[in-house]
Short mmCIF file of all heavy atoms in Angstrom, two decimals:
data_model
loop_
_atom_site.label_atom_id
_atom_site.label_comp_id
_atom_site.label_asym_id
_atom_site.label_seq_id
_atom_site.Cartn_x
_atom_site.Cartn_y
_atom_site.Cartn_z
N GLN D 1 99.95 106.22 108.31
CA GLN D 1 99.66 104.79 108.38
C GLN D 1 99.12 104.27 107.05
O GLN D 1 99.51 103.19 106.58
CB GLN D 1 98.65 104.53 109.49
CG GLN D 1 98.25 103.06 109.64
CD GLN D 1 97.16 102.88 110.69
OE1 GLN D 1 96.75 103.83 111.38
NE2 GLN D 1 96.67 101.66 110.82
N LEU D 2 98.24 105.04 106.44
CA LEU D 2 97.64 104.60 105.18
C LEU D 2 98.67 104.61 104.04
O LEU D 2 98.67 103.72 103.18
CB LEU D 2 96.45 105.49 104.82
CG LEU D 2 95.28 105.46 105.82
CD1 LEU D 2 94.21 106.44 105.41
CD2 LEU D 2 94.72 104.05 105.94
N LEU D 3 99.52 105.62 104.03
CA LEU D 3 100.54 105.67 102.98
C LEU D 3 101.48 104.48 103.08
O LEU D 3 101.98 103.99 102.07
CB LEU D 3 101.32 106.98 103.09
CG LEU D 3 100.54 108.25 102.72
CD1 LEU D 3 101.36 109.49 103.01
CD2 LEU D 3 100.14 108.22 101.25
N ALA D 4 101.72 104.00 104.31
CA ALA D 4 102.57 102.83 104.49
C ALA D 4 101.90 101.55 104.01
O ALA D 4 102.56 100.53 103.83
CB ALA D 4 102.97 102.69 105.96
N ALA D 5 100.59 101.60 103.80
CA ALA D 5 99.85 100.43 103.33
C ALA D 5 99.53 100.50 101.84
O ALA D 5 98.78 99.67 101.32
CB ALA D 5 98.54 100.29 104.12
N ALA D 6 100.11 101.47 101.15
CA ALA D 6 99.80 101.67 99.73
C ALA D 6 100.64 100.77 98.84
O ALA D 6 101.83 100.59 99.07
CB ALA D 6 100.05 103.13 99.35
N ASP D 7 100.01 100.21 97.80
CA ASP D 7 100.77 99.58 96.72
C ASP D 7 101.34 100.67 95.81
O ASP D 7 102.45 100.53 95.28
CB ASP D 7 99.87 98.65 95.90
CG ASP D 7 99.41 97.44 96.69
OD1 ASP D 7 100.25 96.84 97.39
OD2 ASP D 7 98.22 97.10 96.62
N LEU D 8 100.56 101.72 95.65
CA LEU D 8 100.97 102.85 94.83
C LEU D 8 100.47 104.12 95.51
O LEU D 8 99.31 104.19 95.91
CB LEU D 8 100.40 102.73 93.41
CG LEU D 8 100.86 103.73 92.34
CD1 LEU D 8 100.75 103.11 90.95
CD2 LEU D 8 100.05 105.03 92.37
N TRP D 9 101.34 105.10 95.63
CA TRP D 9 100.95 106.36 96.25
C TRP D 9 100.76 107.40 95.17
O TRP D 9 101.69 107.74 94.44
CB TRP D 9 102.02 106.82 97.25
CG TRP D 9 101.65 108.08 97.98
CD1 TRP D 9 100.40 108.59 98.15
CD2 TRP D 9 102.55 108.99 98.62
NE1 TRP D 9 100.44 109.77 98.86
CE2 TRP D 9 101.76 110.05 99.17
CE3 TRP D 9 103.93 109.04 98.78
CZ2 TRP D 9 102.31 111.12 99.86
CZ3 TRP D 9 104.47 110.10 99.48
CH2 TRP D 9 103.67 111.13 100.02
N LEU D 10 99.51 107.88 95.07
CA LEU D 10 99.21 108.96 94.15
C LEU D 10 99.27 110.26 94.95
O LEU D 10 98.37 110.58 95.73
CB LEU D 10 97.81 108.78 93.54
CG LEU D 10 97.40 109.85 92.51
CD1 LEU D 10 98.33 109.83 91.30
CD2 LEU D 10 95.95 109.64 92.08
N PHE D 11 100.36 110.99 94.75
CA PHE D 11 100.60 112.22 95.51
C PHE D 11 100.00 113.40 94.77
O PHE D 11 100.33 113.66 93.60
CB PHE D 11 102.09 112.40 95.72
CG PHE D 11 102.45 113.73 96.34
CD1 PHE D 11 102.01 114.05 97.61
CD2 PHE D 11 103.23 114.64 95.65
CE1 PHE D 11 102.34 115.26 98.19
CE2 PHE D 11 103.56 115.86 96.22
CZ PHE D 11 103.12 116.17 97.49
N VAL D 12 99.11 114.12 95.45
CA VAL D 12 98.44 115.27 94.84
C VAL D 12 98.95 116.55 95.49
O VAL D 12 98.91 116.70 96.71
CB VAL D 12 96.90 115.17 95.02
CG1 VAL D 12 96.22 116.34 94.31
CG2 VAL D 12 96.38 113.84 94.48
N THR D 13 99.44 117.45 94.66
CA THR D 13 99.88 118.76 95.15
C THR D 13 99.36 119.83 94.20
O THR D 13 98.72 119.51 93.19
CB THR D 13 101.42 118.81 95.26
OG1 THR D 13 101.80 120.04 95.89
CG2 THR D 13 102.09 118.70 93.90
N THR D 14 99.61 121.05 94.51
CA THR D 14 99.09 122.16 93.70
C THR D 14 100.23 123.04 93.21
O THR D 14 101.35 122.98 93.71
CB THR D 14 98.10 123.02 94.51
OG1 THR D 14 98.82 123.68 95.56
CG2 THR D 14 97.00 122.17 95.10
N ALA D 15 99.89 123.89 92.25
CA ALA D 15 100.88 124.82 91.71
C ALA D 15 101.38 125.76 92.79
O ALA D 15 102.52 126.25 92.71
CB ALA D 15 100.28 125.61 90.55
N ALA D 16 100.56 126.00 93.79
CA ALA D 16 100.96 126.94 94.85
C ALA D 16 101.75 126.27 95.97
O ALA D 16 102.47 126.95 96.71
CB ALA D 16 99.72 127.62 95.43
N ARG D 17 101.66 124.94 96.09
CA ARG D 17 102.23 124.29 97.28
C ARG D 17 103.16 123.12 96.96
O ARG D 17 103.53 122.38 97.86
CB ARG D 17 101.10 123.81 98.20
CG ARG D 17 100.17 124.92 98.66
CD ARG D 17 99.31 124.45 99.82
NE ARG D 17 100.14 124.04 100.95
CZ ARG D 17 99.65 123.51 102.07
NH1 ARG D 17 98.34 123.31 102.19
NH2 ARG D 17 100.44 123.16 103.07
N TYR D 18 103.53 122.95 95.72
CA TYR D 18 104.31 121.76 95.36
C TYR D 18 105.70 121.75 95.99
O TYR D 18 106.35 120.70 96.06
CB TYR D 18 104.41 121.62 93.84
CG TYR D 18 105.26 122.68 93.15
CD1 TYR D 18 106.63 122.50 92.99
CD2 TYR D 18 104.68 123.85 92.67
CE1 TYR D 18 107.39 123.47 92.35
CE2 TYR D 18 105.43 124.82 92.04
CZ TYR D 18 106.80 124.63 91.88
OH TYR D 18 107.57 125.58 91.26
N ALA D 19 106.21 122.89 96.45
CA ALA D 19 107.55 122.95 97.04
C ALA D 19 107.52 122.91 98.56
O ALA D 19 108.57 123.03 99.20
CB ALA D 19 108.28 124.21 96.58
N ASP D 20 106.36 122.71 99.18
CA ASP D 20 106.27 122.66 100.64
C ASP D 20 107.15 121.53 101.19
O ASP D 20 107.31 120.48 100.57
CB ASP D 20 104.83 122.43 101.10
CG ASP D 20 103.97 123.69 100.90
OD1 ASP D 20 104.53 124.71 100.45
OD2 ASP D 20 102.77 123.62 101.19
N ALA D 21 107.66 121.73 102.40
CA ALA D 21 108.61 120.78 102.99
C ALA D 21 107.96 119.46 103.39
O ALA D 21 108.53 118.39 103.17
CB ALA D 21 109.28 121.42 104.20
N VAL D 22 106.76 119.52 103.98
CA VAL D 22 106.14 118.30 104.51
C VAL D 22 105.92 117.25 103.42
O VAL D 22 106.27 116.08 103.60
CB VAL D 22 104.83 118.63 105.24
CG1 VAL D 22 104.08 117.34 105.63
CG2 VAL D 22 105.11 119.47 106.49
N PRO D 23 105.34 117.60 102.29
CA PRO D 23 105.15 116.58 101.25
C PRO D 23 106.46 115.96 100.77
O PRO D 23 106.53 114.74 100.54
CB PRO D 23 104.46 117.35 100.12
CG PRO D 23 103.83 118.52 100.78
CD PRO D 23 104.75 118.89 101.90
N TRP D 24 107.49 116.76 100.65
CA TRP D 24 108.76 116.22 100.17
C TRP D 24 109.40 115.31 101.19
O TRP D 24 110.10 114.33 100.82
CB TRP D 24 109.71 117.36 99.76
CG TRP D 24 109.29 117.96 98.46
CD1 TRP D 24 108.58 119.09 98.26
CD2 TRP D 24 109.52 117.39 97.16
NE1 TRP D 24 108.34 119.29 96.93
CE2 TRP D 24 108.92 118.26 96.22
CE3 TRP D 24 110.16 116.26 96.71
CZ2 TRP D 24 108.94 118.02 94.86
CZ3 TRP D 24 110.20 116.01 95.33
CH2 TRP D 24 109.60 116.88 94.43
N GLU D 25 109.18 115.56 102.45
CA GLU D 25 109.69 114.64 103.47
C GLU D 25 109.00 113.29 103.34
O GLU D 25 109.64 112.23 103.43
CB GLU D 25 109.43 115.23 104.86
CG GLU D 25 109.96 114.38 106.01
CD GLU D 25 111.46 114.17 105.95
OE1 GLU D 25 112.18 115.09 105.49
OE2 GLU D 25 111.92 113.08 106.36
N LEU D 26 107.70 113.30 103.10
CA LEU D 26 106.98 112.04 102.91
C LEU D 26 107.37 111.36 101.60
O LEU D 26 107.43 110.13 101.53
CB LEU D 26 105.48 112.28 102.96
CG LEU D 26 104.91 112.54 104.36
CD1 LEU D 26 103.45 112.91 104.28
CD2 LEU D 26 105.11 111.32 105.24
N LEU D 27 107.62 112.16 100.55
CA LEU D 27 108.08 111.57 99.30
C LEU D 27 109.43 110.88 99.48
O LEU D 27 109.68 109.81 98.92
CB LEU D 27 108.17 112.65 98.22
CG LEU D 27 106.84 113.10 97.61
CD1 LEU D 27 107.04 114.34 96.75
CD2 LEU D 27 106.22 111.97 96.78
N ARG D 28 110.31 111.49 100.27
CA ARG D 28 111.60 110.85 100.54
C ARG D 28 111.41 109.54 101.30
O ARG D 28 112.06 108.54 101.02
CB ARG D 28 112.49 111.80 101.35
CG ARG D 28 113.18 112.86 100.50
CD ARG D 28 114.25 113.58 101.29
NE ARG D 28 113.70 114.39 102.37
CZ ARG D 28 113.34 115.66 102.21
NH1 ARG D 28 113.47 116.27 101.04
NH2 ARG D 28 112.85 116.34 103.23
N THR D 29 110.47 109.57 102.26
CA THR D 29 110.18 108.35 103.01
C THR D 29 109.65 107.26 102.10
O THR D 29 110.06 106.09 102.18
CB THR D 29 109.17 108.64 104.12
OG1 THR D 29 109.70 109.62 105.00
CG2 THR D 29 108.84 107.39 104.91
N ALA D 30 108.72 107.63 101.21
CA ALA D 30 108.18 106.66 100.27
C ALA D 30 109.27 106.11 99.35
O ALA D 30 109.29 104.91 99.02
CB ALA D 30 107.07 107.31 99.44
N LYS D 31 110.17 106.98 98.93
CA LYS D 31 111.28 106.54 98.08
C LYS D 31 112.15 105.53 98.82
O LYS D 31 112.54 104.50 98.26
CB LYS D 31 112.11 107.76 97.67
CG LYS D 31 113.41 107.44 96.95
CD LYS D 31 113.18 106.81 95.60
CE LYS D 31 114.50 106.58 94.88
NZ LYS D 31 114.31 105.88 93.59
N LEU D 32 112.46 105.82 100.08
CA LEU D 32 113.30 104.91 100.87
C LEU D 32 112.60 103.57 101.07
O LEU D 32 113.25 102.53 101.13
CB LEU D 32 113.63 105.54 102.22
CG LEU D 32 114.59 106.74 102.18
CD1 LEU D 32 114.71 107.37 103.56
CD2 LEU D 32 115.96 106.31 101.67
N ARG D 33 111.28 103.59 101.19
CA ARG D 33 110.53 102.35 101.38
C ARG D 33 110.36 101.58 100.08
O ARG D 33 109.92 100.44 100.08
CB ARG D 33 109.14 102.66 101.93
CG ARG D 33 109.10 103.03 103.40
CD ARG D 33 107.69 103.37 103.81
NE ARG D 33 107.58 103.66 105.23
CZ ARG D 33 106.53 104.22 105.79
NH1 ARG D 33 105.48 104.54 105.02
NH2 ARG D 33 106.49 104.45 107.09
N GLY D 34 110.65 102.22 98.98
CA GLY D 34 110.46 101.55 97.70
C GLY D 34 109.04 101.63 97.19
O GLY D 34 108.69 100.92 96.23
N THR D 35 108.20 102.47 97.78
CA THR D 35 106.81 102.59 97.34
C THR D 35 106.76 103.20 95.94
O THR D 35 107.45 104.17 95.64
CB THR D 35 106.02 103.49 98.30
OG1 THR D 35 106.15 102.97 99.63
CG2 THR D 35 104.55 103.54 97.91
N VAL D 36 105.95 102.61 95.08
CA VAL D 36 105.76 103.14 93.73
C VAL D 36 104.93 104.42 93.83
O VAL D 36 103.92 104.47 94.54
CB VAL D 36 105.07 102.12 92.82
CG1 VAL D 36 104.82 102.70 91.44
CG2 VAL D 36 105.92 100.85 92.72
N ILE D 37 105.38 105.47 93.13
CA ILE D 37 104.78 106.80 93.27
C ILE D 37 104.36 107.34 91.91
O ILE D 37 105.08 107.17 90.91
CB ILE D 37 105.78 107.79 93.92
CG1 ILE D 37 106.22 107.29 95.30
CG2 ILE D 37 105.19 109.18 94.03
CD1 ILE D 37 107.38 108.07 95.87
N ALA D 38 103.21 107.99 91.87
CA ALA D 38 102.78 108.81 90.74
C ALA D 38 102.32 110.14 91.31
O ALA D 38 101.87 110.21 92.46
CB ALA D 38 101.66 108.14 89.96
N LEU D 39 102.44 111.21 90.54
CA LEU D 39 102.13 112.54 91.05
C LEU D 39 101.10 113.25 90.18
O LEU D 39 101.09 113.08 88.95
CB LEU D 39 103.39 113.41 91.13
CG LEU D 39 104.44 113.00 92.15
CD1 LEU D 39 105.49 112.11 91.49
CD2 LEU D 39 105.10 114.21 92.79
N VAL D 40 100.28 114.05 90.84
CA VAL D 40 99.33 114.92 90.15
C VAL D 40 99.63 116.35 90.58
O VAL D 40 99.59 116.67 91.77
CB VAL D 40 97.88 114.56 90.49
CG1 VAL D 40 96.93 115.59 89.89
CG2 VAL D 40 97.54 113.16 90.00
N LEU D 41 99.95 117.19 89.61
CA LEU D 41 100.13 118.62 89.85
C LEU D 41 98.82 119.30 89.52
O LEU D 41 98.43 119.41 88.36
CB LEU D 41 101.28 119.17 89.00
CG LEU D 41 101.60 120.65 89.17
CD1 LEU D 41 101.98 120.97 90.61
CD2 LEU D 41 102.70 121.07 88.20
N ASP D 42 98.12 119.75 90.53
CA ASP D 42 96.75 120.21 90.41
C ASP D 42 96.68 121.75 90.37
O ASP D 42 97.58 122.45 90.82
CB ASP D 42 95.96 119.68 91.61
CG ASP D 42 94.46 119.69 91.37
OD1 ASP D 42 94.04 120.01 90.25
OD2 ASP D 42 93.71 119.37 92.33
N ARG D 43 95.59 122.24 89.79
CA ARG D 43 95.28 123.68 89.76
C ARG D 43 96.43 124.51 89.17
O ARG D 43 96.89 125.47 89.76
CB ARG D 43 95.00 124.18 91.17
CG ARG D 43 93.80 123.51 91.81
CD ARG D 43 93.58 124.08 93.19
NE ARG D 43 92.53 123.36 93.88
CZ ARG D 43 92.42 123.31 95.20
NH1 ARG D 43 93.29 123.95 95.95
NH2 ARG D 43 91.44 122.65 95.76
N VAL D 44 96.85 124.10 88.03
CA VAL D 44 97.97 124.79 87.37
C VAL D 44 97.41 125.87 86.44
O VAL D 44 96.65 125.57 85.50
CB VAL D 44 98.82 123.80 86.57
CG1 VAL D 44 99.97 124.54 85.87
CG2 VAL D 44 99.36 122.71 87.48
N PRO D 45 97.76 127.15 86.65
CA PRO D 45 97.31 128.20 85.73
C PRO D 45 97.85 127.94 84.34
O PRO D 45 99.04 127.61 84.18
CB PRO D 45 97.90 129.47 86.33
CG PRO D 45 98.19 129.13 87.77
CD PRO D 45 98.55 127.68 87.77
N PRO D 46 97.03 128.05 83.32
CA PRO D 46 97.50 127.73 81.96
C PRO D 46 98.73 128.52 81.55
O PRO D 46 99.64 127.97 80.91
CB PRO D 46 96.29 128.09 81.09
CG PRO D 46 95.11 127.97 82.01
CD PRO D 46 95.60 128.38 83.35
N GLU D 47 98.81 129.79 81.96
CA GLU D 47 99.93 130.62 81.52
C GLU D 47 101.24 130.24 82.21
O GLU D 47 102.32 130.60 81.73
CB GLU D 47 99.63 132.09 81.80
CG GLU D 47 99.52 132.49 83.26
CD GLU D 47 98.15 132.22 83.87
OE1 GLU D 47 97.33 131.57 83.19
OE2 GLU D 47 97.91 132.66 85.00
N ALA D 48 101.18 129.50 83.33
CA ALA D 48 102.40 129.13 84.05
C ALA D 48 102.65 127.64 84.03
O ALA D 48 103.55 127.16 84.71
CB ALA D 48 102.32 129.63 85.49
#
């Protein structure tokens, strides 16, 4: 409900979970709605 009320969705994911299915389903939904999106890739090991 809150994501549907966003002017901008700041999506936060991690180096370990960025490929999970649930977030990408919501990202597709946001894309279809035309919601402006920015992403944060969190907890990234420096070597990777």
